[in-house]
Amino acid sequence: MLTRIFFLIAAIIIFNERGLSAGWRSDLDSLFVADSPESAGKYIENILGAGVGWDEITSGIDSLAFSEKPSGALILNLVLCRDSVERPYIVYVPPNYDPGLPTPLLVVLHGGAAGAKITEDPKKYAESHPFSLMAQENGWLALYPFGQSGATWFDDVGMANIKNLIRIIKSEYNVDDNRVWMGGFSDGGSAASGTPCLIPPTMGRL
């Protein structure tokens, strides 16, 4: 949650001459599920144009609620990528997940990212992955994006997909902003090593 707080405080400092409508809390809720930078920008403008102090906004951020989710489960979803292709992703939710508590997130990148096809059974892949056991033992959320030729971990489409999926997971689950890690095998390990803003240095080699 700290990243959200710093972002809005910085914005308030820049635009501190503007003043808040009664609907600013609704705009705050909508901001964190916005599906584009344009719509997010509109919500930020509405919030900044209303007039409450930074303490009320940070309190509003801290009080954001996350809905209950199936726990101890691997959940398969689809996401529309920048190249207009839908690709699968898996979310692992640990058995003890509590939507009221910030939870670490491990992003797992597979090897062979430049292959033409995505694995036929993403759920089975994630289920048998050793990182799923690690996430289970430690009570972490785990995210499994899937890439392929034209959407690898080393091009704009694939990297945009990873960032978008992290954003989606943060909007749906109570993710601890200070504990978002990335790891992987082969191509996935190389990509994780090249993303130091998300991971401690040792994780990228797994």
Side-chain angles (χ1 to χ4, degrees), residues 5 45 52 65 88 103-104 139 194:
I5 293 171
E45 285 184 13
V52 260
T103 304

Side-chain angles (χ1 to χ4, degrees), residues 30-73:
S30 299
L31 171 62
F32 296 118
V33 294
D35 57 4
S36 70
E38 292 75 21
S39 58
K42 290 178 182 178
Y43 293 126
I44 291 172
E45 285 184 13
N46 291 343
I47 293 169
L48 296 176
V52 260
W54 65 268
D55 54 337
E56 270 195 84
I57 293 182
T58 54
S59 176
I61 293 170
D62 288 337
S63 66
L64 287 172
F66 294 86
S67 61
E68 295 286 339
K69 298 289 184 181
S71 58

Side-chain angles (χ1 to χ4, degrees), residues 74-82 84-91 118-123 143-146 148 161 164-165 167-169 172:
L74 286 163
I75 302 168
L76 172 64
N77 290 298
L78 293 173
V79 64
L80 185 65
C81 298
R82 181 180 287 182
S84 300
V85 175
E86 273 194 331
R87 294 184 174 88
Y89 68 96
I90 297 286
V91 182
I118 291 174
T119 181
E120 292 183 2
D121 194 340
K123 202 166 184 177
L143 167 63
Y144 293 83
F146 290 90
Q148 63 185 137
N161 184 35
N164 183 44
L165 287 176
R167 181 192 66 80
I168 290 172
I169 299 306
E172 296 179 350

